Amino acid sequence: MTTRTRILTGITTTGTPHLGNYAGAIRPAILASRDSNVDSFYFLADYHALIKCDDPLRIQRSRLEIAATWLAGGLDVDRVTFYRQSDIPEIPELTWLLTCVAAKGLLNRAHAYKASVDKNVETGEDPDAGITMGLYSYPVLMAADILMFNAHKVPVGRDQIQHVEMARDIGQRFNHLFGQGKEFFTMPEALIEESVATLPGLDGRKMSKSYDNTIPLFSSAKDMKDAISRIVTDSRAPGEAKDPDNSHLFTLFQAFATPAQSDEFRSELLQGLGWGEAKNRLFQLLDSELGESRERYHQLIERPADLEDMLQVGARKARSVATPFLQELREAVGLRSFVAQTQVAATTKKKAAKAARFVSFREDDGSFRFRLLAADGEQLLLSRNFADGKTAGQVTKQLQAGQPLDVRSEDLSFSVWLEGECVGDSPAFADSAARDSAIDALRVALTPVQE
Ligand code: TRP
């Protein structure tokens, strides 16, 4: 059931998305998320934003605008997990666990940090002048983002490849130190979309806020039109043949047009279409491609409470993965309950795992269920009802597959969840300590035995 590729990426919330961000990252990510073989995690990297920006209003504004942009662009939040990094307290907690195994020498080599040091040295400053621990530890926080959800693929720009490599490095170190043969963390791979063009900006250089050459995305039709009128062209007059292959106006057009539309525009330029008219064509194309999304964007921005609700749902989804996983990691490093005696449990793991057993049975109504009994016969779990024996069998198999267990405690009992669905419940225990040790026994029983 869980063989889908998990794709995860973060968007730093320091600015307003422009046309280049849309074509280069947002649009391809939204398209990729529609693939049924893909399980997408997209999030607003607002903790990362704090590293680069100390203007609270800008942070606030940017989070809202980026959230609205992705949703207006067609991201389906029922299908993907879309959340704010800062709504997941497990992220900073994992960051600390990783910080404790990350080599300082590794972080010394991070490009972004090194660039800042080089600049200081060049200008005769102290090498670390103006460099915060946030900037220095940036790759560890990013590693936590990625490793927390065991992402397989991480779509990023080239400047971020090194960070994904560092995530592998740090994750591997953790696996090695605490996994006892078990790989807690999946090794992520950076995904660089070669086919996605970086759009040129108004002046022909890469479209980027730092060059002040961007075309706005959803602000208004007029803003878009004004920006397009400022696209730099050569001085050929109307009637003179233009050179489409050396025109960034044409490149921009192509990024949004069908091949047939591009061919037509190309031949018109060759036949001497004036630049004023060419800009008009580009505007018409962009307006027809993006006008509807722009409207949705403004509707979303006007209802921030709805956006807030959607992101809260996303946070709950993300935490249903993060909470049980972090619990496992805490146990692995030794942050264990005094009561649960996991130390003892761990040493008898092999025996317990062998002795625990599933017992399946059929209800009067024909549905199938199973119990999970601990070595001493204590009932740990009673499953929900399944329509057929096959489904019940698959669930027991999946529970034993060694994936992080999603166990949720409630009062004196607990339940076990698979992919967002409750599959079984425990009996009620005498007290919370008894409940917690049953949870530990359950984890031990369901841990695959390594021979
Ligand atoms: N550092 C990334 C950027 O600036 C944003 C980011 C934060 C990210 N956490 C991530 C990207 C995790 C991918 C995965 O582009």
Side-chain angles (χ1 to χ4, degrees):
M1 281 198 264
T2 24
T3 48
R4 290 190 298 165
T5 304
R6 189 166 281 180
I7 297 192
L8 173 144
T9 198
I11 313 104
T12 309
T13 53
T14 45
T16 304
H18 53 68
L19 195 71
N21 302 134
Y22 179 74
I26 303 170
R27 183 174 60 177
I30 292 173
L31 288 175
S33 75
R34 296 186 181 150
D35 182 338
S36 57
N37 295 316
V38 158
D39 179 19
S40 307
F41 280 61
Y42 296 140
F43 67 95
L44 308 181
D46 46 6
Y47 281 142
H48 278 104
L50 298 182
I51 294 169
K52 299 179 185 168
C53 173
D54 58 9
D55 173 357
L57 281 178
R58 181 154 159 222
I59 298 277
Q60 177 197 350
R61 187 86 214 136
S62 171
R63 291 158 98 225
L64 186 70
E65 288 175 347
I66 293 178
T69 301
W70 281 69
L71 296 170
L75 189 72
D76 178 355
V77 291
D78 290 331
R79 200 176 182 117
V80 310
T81 307
F82 187 54
Y83 56 98
R84 288 177 294 216
Q85 184 186 33
S86 64
D87 285 335
I88 317 296
E90 289 82 3
I91 298 281
E93 194 171 346
L94 177 56
T95 302
W96 185 253
L97 300 190
L98 298 177
T99 300
C100 294
V101 303
K104 178 166 180 285
L106 179 76
L107 297 176
N108 286 341
R109 291 194 288 278
H111 300 319
Y113 167 69
K114 274 208 312 198
S116 301
V117 171
D118 289 350
K119 205 155 135 207
N120 281 333
V121 171
E122 232 168 75
T123 52
E125 298 267 1
D126 181 89
D128 277 330
I131 297 178
T132 63
M133 283 307 293
L135 177 69
Y136 188 70
S137 305
Y138 185 109
V140 190
L141 177 58
M142 185 158 157
D145 290 332
I146 298 170
L147 298 174
M148 175 61 87
F149 298 104
N150 282 315
H152 301 109
K153 306 261 176 197
V154 182
V156 283
R158 295 197 171 281
D159 60 326
Q160 299 290 317
I161 297 176
Q162 188 193 32
H163 293 152
V164 180
E165 282 165 0
M166 288 182 166
R168 297 169 63 95
D169 220 300
I170 298 169
Q172 208 154 29
R173 181 101 185 252
F174 189 98
N175 279 346
H176 177 70
L177 285 171
F178 302 111
Q180 299 192 306
K182 178 173 167 165
E183 307 278 303
F184 281 117
F185 298 125
T186 303
M187 290 299 112
E189 265 173 54
L191 191 69
I192 307 294
E193 263 286 7
E194 302 289 353
S195 65
V196 172
T198 17
L199 283 196
L202 302 176
D203 55 2
R205 289 183 295 174
K206 173 182 171 208
M207 190 182 294
S208 160
K209 190 150 163 258
S210 43
Y211 294 148
D212 195 20
N213 65 356
T214 62
I215 297 178
L217 179 60
F218 290 146
S219 59
S220 70
K222 181 174 181 304
D223 283 357
M224 184 178 266
K225 197 167 196 151
D226 289 349
I228 290 173
S229 74
R230 283 182 281 118
I231 292 176
V232 179
T233 58
D234 61 29
S235 53
R236 287 178 217 187
E240 269 183 82
K242 312 294 185 294
D243 178 2
D245 295 317
N246 282 308
S247 154
H248 52 278
L249 191 152
F250 184 68
T251 310
L252 284 164
F253 188 93
Q254 260 184 320
F256 291 87
T258 62
Q261 288 172 316
S262 293
D263 285 348
E264 192 190 336
F265 192 45
R266 168 190 293 276
S267 64
E268 285 183 303
L269 288 169
L270 289 170
Q271 283 160 33
L273 186 75
W275 285 125
E277 192 45 43
K279 288 178 178 177
N280 215 353
R281 299 278 160 92
L282 176 61
F283 172 73
Q284 295 303 339
L285 174 75
L286 292 180
D287 197 51
S288 71
E289 287 296 308
L290 299 169
E292 248 176 66
S293 300
R294 182 199 298 132
E295 228 165 87
R296 270 203 302 276
Y297 174 84
H298 288 286
Q299 285 166 0
L300 286 162
I301 291 277
E302 277 157 28
R303 289 201 305 269
D306 292 358
L307 278 171
E308 181 69 35
D309 286 347
M310 280 189 245
L311 287 164
Q312 291 299 340
V313 170
R316 277 204 291 281
K317 258 166 114 178
R319 292 192 71 195
S320 77
V321 178
T323 309
F325 189 34
L326 185 70
Q327 187 54 34
E328 235 190 294
L329 300 173
R330 288 177 56 105
E331 303 247 337
V333 300
L335 303 177
R336 301 167 184 162
S337 158
F338 286 170
V339 179
Q341 297 294 314
T342 46
Q343 184 56 45
V344 180
T347 54
T348 57
K349 190 169 182 164
K350 224 164 160 168
K351 233 165 106 195
K354 275 213 172 116
R357 58 192 197 278
F358 285 99
V359 179
S360 45
F361 62 98
R362 205 156 175 198
E363 290 281 17
D364 291 341
D365 66 1
S367 64
F368 288 78
R369 301 179 83 172
F370 60 81
R371 298 178 209 281
L372 175 60
L373 305 179
D376 60 3
E378 184 198 9
Q379 179 167 322
L380 297 171
L381 199 71
L382 172 63
S383 81
R384 294 282 167 105
N385 305 63
F386 299 100
D388 50 63
K390 192 168 162 220
T391 314
Q394 274 169 350
V395 170
T396 59
K397 215 176 247 163
Q398 227 187 328
L399 288 173
Q400 294 169 283
Q403 297 292 327
L405 273 187
D406 182 357
V407 179
R408 306 185 191 174
S409 310
E410 201 173 312
D411 297 328
L412 295 179
S413 56
F414 62 82
S415 53
V416 175
W417 296 64
L418 273 181
E419 291 168 1
E421 263 186 66
C422 179
V423 295
D425 309 271
S426 76
F429 294 94
D431 51 36
S432 58
R435 179 202 61 206
D436 290 342
S437 55
I439 294 179
D440 283 318
L442 175 90
R443 289 191 192 285
V444 170
L446 293 176
T447 303
V449 183
Q450 248 113 38
E451 300 296 347

